Amino acid sequence: FTLVPYTFTGDSLGPLVQNHSPNARRWTTQAAKLATVISNVRRMNRPVKTLIHVEIFTELDRPQFHEAWIEFSSRFMAGMLSSGHTATPDTVRLLTNEALAELGPKHGFWDNLITVIPERPFLDIFGTDYLTATVSGYQGTTDDAVLDKAAQFVRDRLGSFVPDVILTYTTAPWLRRAFPDALILHKEYGAFSRPPYPESFYLDPNGKFANATINTHAVELRTYQASDAERGMIQDMRRVFRDSTIKKISPFHHIEPLMRRERKKIMLLPLQFCGHYGFEGTCKYRTQGELLRDVVERTDPDIGILVINHSTAQHHSTIPPNDLYVYLSKHHDNLFFNNDF
């Protein structure tokens, strides 16, 4: 997926689409939009118009919580520039709220590349709070009339700019309503993201979390017969990431042998953080402690459970209380927990 911003109009993307589009189209209709975007851009001999959408709503009461997304977007744009594109108001727009827009120039987005969506009037369209609005958008239950108003609000702010491709870091169904012909790619981290691990990510044309391709097209993925070349590619990735990198830097590497002395099988339970649509809109749990207890009490005692907290949860005091860990450890000797993680 990282090839996409670098070679949208280049010849090297042609074989990629041609060779993989039959399977891709069976899995997702968004692949057809990718082919259409490339065809239209080549036919009109112009750069791809890219809209980079960073969260409009303030999350977790931190107005500039998503500065990392602005920084990532600058790297994304640098890749476009390195392949011969130009960053002008006609080719690239950063769409975000007032607080995050202030950080744009710091990361290479000049003011004329930034379109600001005023957060308060935009949220008023939904007639509710941030979390309720984003959960309903994520679950697909937002009223059509509300989506239409939100889509029109965005179109009015962008004026004549109509994107071919939208890179979004969050669920935003009003973008699909505003620009139905655009290819929308949802950016999310892969299996590894924070230090000391390398940063991995993917761009999903279907959605995020429960709406991601791996969930919405699970049957096709499970029944897909990978070729020898494709299996070889996966083996190469495992060798590079797991054997050459992950094992050397993993903070769990030194405790794994100790855990395996007591349990042959080990599972990793990475907790999340509360107050975000990704957790609230997907899980039945209201706290991380409920998730932790449910998993521990339902797991085969012969399987070791290594629990780690989410870094964001630690910053916002939504990690399970220590006395819960003490209680569970007393009654479940297969639970492994270290405050350093």
Side-chain angles (χ1 to χ4, degrees), residues 3 17 37 48 51 57 59 112 161 173 185 196 205 212 241 274 293 321:
L3 291 174
V17 176
V37 166
V48 170
L51 178 66
F57 301 124
E59 289 188 347
N112 64 346
F161 184 86
L185 299 173
F241 281 94
C274 303
R293 185 166 186 171

mmCIF file of all heavy atoms in Angstrom, residues 3 17 37 48 51 57 59 112 161 173 185 196 205 212 241 274 293 321:
data_model
loop_
_atom_site.group_PDB
_atom_site.id
_atom_site.type_symbol
_atom_site.label_atom_id
_atom_site.label_comp_id
_atom_site.label_asym_id
_atom_site.label_seq_id
_atom_site.Cartn_x
_atom_site.Cartn_y
_atom_site.Cartn_z
ATOM 1 N N LEU A 3 3.127 1.963 -1.804
ATOM 2 C CA LEU A 3 3.445 2.359 -3.170
ATOM 3 C C LEU A 3 2.450 3.385 -3.702
ATOM 4 O O LEU A 3 2.774 4.157 -4.584
ATOM 5 C CB LEU A 3 3.428 1.140 -4.092
ATOM 6 C CG LEU A 3 4.539 0.096 -3.920
ATOM 7 C CD1 LEU A 3 4.253 -1.096 -4.821
ATOM 8 C CD2 LEU A 3 5.886 0.711 -4.256
ATOM 9 N N VAL A 17 -1.991 -2.917 -10.493
ATOM 10 C CA VAL A 17 -3.441 -2.982 -10.616
ATOM 11 C C VAL A 17 -3.849 -4.109 -11.546
ATOM 12 O O VAL A 17 -4.779 -4.867 -11.270
ATOM 13 C CB VAL A 17 -3.997 -1.644 -11.135
ATOM 14 C CG1 VAL A 17 -5.490 -1.748 -11.367
ATOM 15 C CG2 VAL A 17 -3.691 -0.532 -10.147
ATOM 16 N N VAL A 37 -9.579 6.034 -10.897
ATOM 17 C CA VAL A 37 -8.778 7.222 -10.579
ATOM 18 C C VAL A 37 -7.544 7.288 -11.462
ATOM 19 O O VAL A 37 -7.232 8.321 -12.066
ATOM 20 C CB VAL A 37 -8.367 7.214 -9.093
ATOM 21 C CG1 VAL A 37 -7.268 8.243 -8.834
ATOM 22 C CG2 VAL A 37 -9.572 7.517 -8.212
ATOM 23 N N VAL A 48 -2.935 13.666 -9.252
ATOM 24 C CA VAL A 48 -4.035 13.221 -8.414
ATOM 25 C C VAL A 48 -4.365 14.314 -7.403
ATOM 26 O O VAL A 48 -3.481 14.927 -6.821
ATOM 27 C CB VAL A 48 -3.660 11.923 -7.673
ATOM 28 C CG1 VAL A 48 -4.698 11.579 -6.616
ATOM 29 C CG2 VAL A 48 -3.501 10.781 -8.649
ATOM 30 N N LEU A 51 -7.035 14.556 -0.783
ATOM 31 C CA LEU A 51 -7.546 15.183 0.441
ATOM 32 C C LEU A 51 -7.085 14.349 1.627
ATOM 33 O O LEU A 51 -7.346 13.147 1.701
ATOM 34 C CB LEU A 51 -9.075 15.241 0.421
ATOM 35 C CG LEU A 51 -9.741 15.825 1.676
ATOM 36 C CD1 LEU A 51 -9.399 17.311 1.823
ATOM 37 C CD2 LEU A 51 -11.257 15.624 1.627
ATOM 38 N N PHE A 57 -13.066 16.246 15.189
ATOM 39 C CA PHE A 57 -13.511 16.334 16.579
ATOM 40 C C PHE A 57 -12.334 16.211 17.544
ATOM 41 O O PHE A 57 -11.367 15.501 17.271
ATOM 42 C CB PHE A 57 -14.521 15.222 16.888
ATOM 43 C CG PHE A 57 -15.741 15.245 16.031
ATOM 44 C CD1 PHE A 57 -16.109 14.136 15.293
ATOM 45 C CD2 PHE A 57 -16.525 16.381 15.946
ATOM 46 C CE1 PHE A 57 -17.239 14.144 14.501
ATOM 47 C CE2 PHE A 57 -17.661 16.408 15.148
ATOM 48 C CZ PHE A 57 -18.015 15.289 14.426
ATOM 49 N N GLU A 59 -10.547 14.651 20.496
ATOM 50 C CA GLU A 59 -10.629 13.357 21.155
ATOM 51 C C GLU A 59 -9.954 13.404 22.523
ATOM 52 O O GLU A 59 -8.890 14.012 22.685
ATOM 53 C CB GLU A 59 -9.969 12.270 20.300
ATOM 54 C CG GLU A 59 -10.761 11.929 19.050
ATOM 55 C CD GLU A 59 -10.201 10.716 18.323
ATOM 56 O OE1 GLU A 59 -9.074 10.300 18.644
ATOM 57 O OE2 GLU A 59 -10.893 10.185 17.443
ATOM 58 N N ASN A 112 -2.162 27.805 2.845
ATOM 59 C CA ASN A 112 -3.038 27.675 1.674
ATOM 60 C C ASN A 112 -3.347 26.214 1.322
ATOM 61 O O ASN A 112 -4.151 25.944 0.427
ATOM 62 C CB ASN A 112 -2.441 28.398 0.467
ATOM 63 C CG ASN A 112 -1.121 27.788 0.003
ATOM 64 O OD1 ASN A 112 -0.507 26.998 0.713
ATOM 65 N ND2 ASN A 112 -0.687 28.168 -1.194
ATOM 66 N N PHE A 161 -12.558 22.401 -4.831
ATOM 67 C CA PHE A 161 -11.638 21.256 -4.714
ATOM 68 C C PHE A 161 -12.438 19.967 -4.560
ATOM 69 O O PHE A 161 -13.171 19.780 -3.582
ATOM 70 C CB PHE A 161 -10.710 21.433 -3.512
ATOM 71 C CG PHE A 161 -9.667 20.349 -3.389
ATOM 72 C CD1 PHE A 161 -8.472 20.450 -4.070
ATOM 73 C CD2 PHE A 161 -9.891 19.232 -2.594
ATOM 74 C CE1 PHE A 161 -7.506 19.464 -3.971
ATOM 75 C CE2 PHE A 161 -8.937 18.238 -2.483
ATOM 76 C CZ PHE A 161 -7.740 18.354 -3.171
ATOM 77 N N PRO A 173 -18.075 8.849 7.514
ATOM 78 C CA PRO A 173 -19.015 8.506 6.442
ATOM 79 C C PRO A 173 -19.500 9.702 5.649
ATOM 80 O O PRO A 173 -19.955 9.550 4.515
ATOM 81 C CB PRO A 173 -20.167 7.826 7.192
ATOM 82 C CG PRO A 173 -20.072 8.327 8.598
ATOM 83 C CD PRO A 173 -18.614 8.504 8.854
ATOM 84 N N LEU A 185 -9.144 5.892 1.491
ATOM 85 C CA LEU A 185 -8.224 4.965 2.129
ATOM 86 C C LEU A 185 -8.120 5.311 3.609
ATOM 87 O O LEU A 185 -7.807 6.451 3.965
ATOM 88 C CB LEU A 185 -6.834 5.050 1.476
ATOM 89 C CG LEU A 185 -6.788 4.700 -0.016
ATOM 90 C CD1 LEU A 185 -5.416 4.991 -0.587
ATOM 91 C CD2 LEU A 185 -7.166 3.245 -0.239
ATOM 92 N N PRO A 196 9.842 0.407 21.055
ATOM 93 C CA PRO A 196 11.032 0.298 20.200
ATOM 94 C C PRO A 196 10.774 -0.389 18.863
ATOM 95 O O PRO A 196 11.705 -0.615 18.101
ATOM 96 C CB PRO A 196 11.952 -0.574 21.060
ATOM 97 C CG PRO A 196 11.019 -1.502 21.773
ATOM 98 C CD PRO A 196 9.817 -0.642 22.106
ATOM 99 N N PRO A 205 -9.269 0.320 2.069
ATOM 100 C CA PRO A 205 -10.313 0.999 1.294
ATOM 101 C C PRO A 205 -11.728 0.780 1.826
ATOM 102 O O PRO A 205 -12.663 1.397 1.339
ATOM 103 C CB PRO A 205 -10.162 0.383 -0.103
ATOM 104 C CG PRO A 205 -9.642 -0.985 0.166
ATOM 105 C CD PRO A 205 -8.727 -0.849 1.352
ATOM 106 N N ALA A 212 -12.949 -2.958 8.694
ATOM 107 C CA ALA A 212 -11.763 -3.178 7.879
ATOM 108 C C ALA A 212 -11.935 -4.405 6.985
ATOM 109 O O ALA A 212 -12.737 -5.295 7.256
ATOM 110 C CB ALA A 212 -10.536 -3.346 8.775
ATOM 111 N N PHE A 241 11.068 -8.844 9.498
ATOM 112 C CA PHE A 241 10.484 -8.192 10.673
ATOM 113 C C PHE A 241 10.661 -9.015 11.943
ATOM 114 O O PHE A 241 11.048 -8.491 12.989
ATOM 115 C CB PHE A 241 9.000 -7.908 10.437
ATOM 116 C CG PHE A 241 8.752 -6.696 9.595
ATOM 117 C CD1 PHE A 241 8.575 -6.822 8.225
ATOM 118 C CD2 PHE A 241 8.711 -5.441 10.166
ATOM 119 C CE1 PHE A 241 8.356 -5.697 7.447
ATOM 120 C CE2 PHE A 241 8.492 -4.324 9.392
ATOM 121 C CZ PHE A 241 8.306 -4.445 8.031
ATOM 122 N N CYS A 274 -10.462 3.786 26.683
ATOM 123 C CA CYS A 274 -11.884 4.128 26.650
ATOM 124 C C CYS A 274 -12.091 5.534 26.080
ATOM 125 O O CYS A 274 -11.150 6.299 25.910
ATOM 126 C CB CYS A 274 -12.478 4.041 28.051
ATOM 127 S SG CYS A 274 -12.271 2.423 28.834
ATOM 128 N N ARG A 293 -11.037 -8.810 32.756
ATOM 129 C CA ARG A 293 -11.615 -9.860 33.590
ATOM 130 C C ARG A 293 -12.337 -10.907 32.749
ATOM 131 O O ARG A 293 -12.230 -12.114 33.018
ATOM 132 C CB ARG A 293 -12.568 -9.234 34.607
ATOM 133 C CG ARG A 293 -13.123 -10.237 35.599
ATOM 134 C CD ARG A 293 -13.770 -9.570 36.781
ATOM 135 N NE ARG A 293 -14.173 -10.546 37.783
ATOM 136 C CZ ARG A 293 -14.600 -10.232 38.995
ATOM 137 N NH1 ARG A 293 -14.676 -8.962 39.357
ATOM 138 N NH2 ARG A 293 -14.940 -11.176 39.860
ATOM 139 N N PRO A 321 -7.423 -0.833 37.430
ATOM 140 C CA PRO A 321 -6.764 -0.553 38.711
ATOM 141 C C PRO A 321 -5.864 -1.704 39.132
ATOM 142 O O PRO A 321 -6.121 -2.866 38.812
ATOM 143 C CB PRO A 321 -7.936 -0.365 39.679
ATOM 144 C CG PRO A 321 -9.081 -1.072 39.045
ATOM 145 C CD PRO A 321 -8.883 -0.933 37.570
#
